Amino acid sequence: MSAYDLLIRGGEAVLPGIGHAPCDIAIREGRIAAILEPAAPAEATASFDASGLVVMPGAIDAHIHLGHGKDISRPRVPDDATQESAAAAKGGVTTFISYLLASEPFEDILPDVITVTEAGSRVDFGYHPIISTEAQLKGVPAYVREFGAPTFKIFMNNRGGEGARLGLPDIDDGFLLRLCEAAAENGGMVCPHPETIELAWVMRDRAKAGDPDGRGGLATWNASRPPFVEADAVQRAAYVAKVAGCPLYVVHTSSSEALEAGLRQRAAGATVHLETCPHYLTHDIGWDGGDRGKINPPLREAVDREALWAAVFSGAIDTVATDHVHRDITSKTGGIWAASPGCPGLETLVPVLVSEGHHKRGLPLERIAELVATNPARLMGLAHRKGTIAPGFDADLAFLDLNQTWTLTADGIASSAGYSIYEGWEFKGSIVHTTVRGEFVLRDGELHEPAIGRGRYLHRRLRIGNA
């Protein structure tokens, strides 16, 4: 069997242990079959000219919310996955892992959710169950072994009725401990939303008293849930997880205080992995976009943004993910107190890091590949097939025109959100083509419609010592 299905010629690829180097990539049956010297003799059914492009491993966005309309709990119809996976393809994302929110046991809904998502998605995907009830806690062993879903979110702020808006019951630190124990016993990992809500209530009431109409916008929202609210929960969750022997993956780190809290616990022996999001690297409370920038945790001060960039460079931050929320712009009405938190980000994940990180700050492309591909694959139980350009791995590739400049406009947004906090931004570096398992989902900047429904659910298994 000497012939390949597809031969990618003429590009430079970001290769493990080498960096970006000229090479040809041979693909067979959806996987990378060989990395060849440029123009090496080879036979293939088809060839593709990648001259002038950098080929990166497809991004794995380990933090999105895939739902239906303004409901971000789960997709209800295939088109929900079709639209958001279109945004993924445009952003160089070839796999996403969505948080799955429900009050019923997940074994009752996961088969249907997987079927619906597979029917519509252009990219591969997984799910993180959000554990909130006793029945869900009891189901942890099955979620790991039968469904390959070993990563579990917990909303630490769901107390005093706070979870009611999501249809979830209250939990406490005892529940957190038992979840960490269950995850540890079954080869899982816990992903806390870290906020100490009792502290946030005090700060919210003070902020509202000083600014009842929310005229202070993003600064007021930050004041209502300041960094120490996040940092306190990070250190508490990490300590509890350490006691239970459970790895922790801290989502959407937004502030220098939360970062430092996680690093202190890491230095003390806890297994703590830290994620941040593009919007915390590019936006702060001085942004003039108004309530569109209401996110939870809030956008912070410029000094926090710079601390996160430093951690991205140093390796203290493990991953960058989007926390993509596809509610449309009408969810941002009513002022800062009433607006819904969250923003879309799938289609700008890699472009933001290339434009703002690589071109403006000198962040190596190899480090970007670690942050959005190799490390998410390793931490999320996909390192056996995703996240690396090497023989045996899925041919999930993002083709980057490193120097092309372009401006994001509303009419170019694929997500059902229909808006972006990056509208009007000029980017340097664009995703031109994207492949998932060797098939184009984006070609010459255009979505490849036959890719709809090719996405597959990924059974994940965490490797001992990787998390």
Side-chain angles (χ1 to χ4, degrees):
M1 188 168 59
S2 59
Y4 302 112
D5 298 328
L6 177 64
L7 193 58
I8 297 168
R9 296 278 200 187
E12 291 189 0
V14 178
L15 302 174
I18 296 174
H20 62 286
C23 67
D24 292 346
I25 303 171
I27 297 170
R28 183 188 294 125
E29 296 180 352
R31 298 206 172 193
I32 297 168
I35 304 296
L36 307 172
E37 291 294 323
E43 294 183 4
T45 303
S47 63
F48 182 77
D49 184 5
S51 298
L53 302 178
V54 175
V55 186
M56 299 185 68
I60 300 167
D61 191 340
H63 186 166
I64 77 159
H65 298 273
L66 182 61
H68 180 74
K70 287 185 172 63
D71 173 15
I72 61 169
S73 61
R74 61 182 177 181
R76 304 285 177 171
V77 296
D79 190 54
D80 295 331
T82 301
Q83 281 204 262
E84 301 318 303
S85 65
K90 292 184 71 173
V93 175
T94 53
T95 297
F96 54 55
I97 309 175
S98 180
Y99 284 96
L100 185 60
L101 187 153
S103 57
E104 57 262 61
F106 289 107
E107 54 266 39
D108 294 347
I109 65 170
L110 261 167
D112 179 64
V113 169
I114 291 168
T115 297
V116 165
T117 311
E118 283 193 333
S121 186
R122 307 165 192 261
V123 305
D124 290 346
F125 64 94
Y127 278 102
H128 310 276
I130 299 172
I131 305 299
S132 305
T133 71
E134 291 296 331
Q136 292 170 349
L137 185 59
K138 185 177 179 181
V140 163
Y143 307 150
V144 174
R145 294 174 188 146
E146 296 174 25
F147 292 98
T151 45
F152 305 104
K153 186 167 187 175
I154 182 169
F155 281 107
M156 294 178 69
N157 55 320
N158 279 0
R159 304 184 185 196
E162 193 75 15
R165 70 182 182 88
L166 299 175
L168 300 179
D170 290 345
I171 55 94
D172 56 24
D173 282 357
F175 191 88
L176 170 65
L177 172 62
R178 290 190 292 139
L179 174 58
C180 289
E181 290 172 339
E185 289 167 7
N186 292 280
M189 180 164 64
V190 172
C191 311
H193 174 107
E195 288 185 297
T196 301
I197 196 62
E198 295 88 347
L199 300 177
W201 288 334
V202 173
M203 303 310 292
R204 175 202 62 195
D205 290 346
R206 290 177 181 173
K208 278 192 170 182
D211 186 7
D213 298 323
R215 296 184 186 278
L218 298 178
T220 292
W221 181 242
N222 180 42
S224 75
R225 309 173 95 97
F228 84 93
V229 169
E230 180 186 18
D232 177 71
V234 169
Q235 65 187 8
R236 196 170 78 247
Y239 186 66
V240 170
K242 179 186 174 185
V243 169
C246 173
L248 205 72
Y249 179 89
V250 179
V251 298
H252 50 47
T253 304
S254 70
S255 63
S256 61
E257 288 186 48
L259 171 66
E260 290 162 5
L263 294 179
R264 283 195 301 270
Q265 290 297 323
R266 185 186 286 176
T271 301
V272 181
H273 307 293
L274 296 170
E275 167 198 285
T276 193
C277 305
H279 43 266
Y280 298 123
L281 296 171
T282 56
H283 289 62
D284 58 48
I285 60 172
W287 183 53
D288 62 3
D291 299 343
R292 287 183 298 160
K294 180 180 176 180
I295 300 165
N296 197 16
L299 297 176
R300 304 299 192 184
E301 305 272 1
V303 66
D304 294 290
R305 188 185 67 232
E306 294 307 312
L308 293 173
W309 272 117
V312 162
F313 273 86
S314 72
I317 291 285
D318 296 284
T319 65
V320 177
T322 64
D323 195 5
H324 175 86
V325 172
H326 56 76
R327 295 189 188 104
D328 66 38
I329 195 65
T330 63
S331 68
K332 296 295 188 179
T333 59
I336 199 68
W337 296 118
S340 176
C343 69
L346 269 167
E347 55 203 292
T348 50
L349 173 58
V350 176
V352 164
L353 290 174
V354 170
S355 187
E356 300 297 311
H358 178 70
H359 284 298
K360 293 186 178 179
R361 294 172 180 261
L363 185 66
L365 294 179
E366 295 82 0
R367 178 65 178 140
I368 294 175
E370 289 178 358
L371 289 162
V372 300
T374 311
N375 286 352
R378 175 176 59 85
L379 296 177
M380 294 295 158
L382 295 171
H384 62 295
R385 62 181 297 186
K386 303 284 188 185
T388 301
I389 300 177
F393 284 75
D394 286 355
D396 295 354
L397 306 171
F399 297 73
L400 175 69
D401 185 331
L402 191 59
N403 294 308
Q404 184 179 52
T405 59
W406 59 284
T407 300
L408 181 64
T409 58
D411 60 2
I413 293 170
S415 169
S416 61
Y419 80 97
S420 171
I421 64 171
Y422 295 103
E423 282 178 55
W425 281 48
E426 183 177 89
F427 290 90
K428 186 175 182 180
S430 66
I431 303 297
V432 183
H433 321 287
T434 305
T435 64
V436 175
R437 286 178 281 109
E439 299 284 344
F440 283 94
V441 294
L442 183 81
R443 189 160 183 169
D444 297 319
E446 299 294 327
L447 293 165
H448 190 56
E449 295 310 306
I452 295 171
R454 286 185 183 164
R456 290 294 174 262
Y457 178 70
L458 301 170
H459 286 256
R460 299 177 291 120
R461 183 174 181 179
L462 304 185
R463 296 187 304 178
I464 295 174
N466 88 318

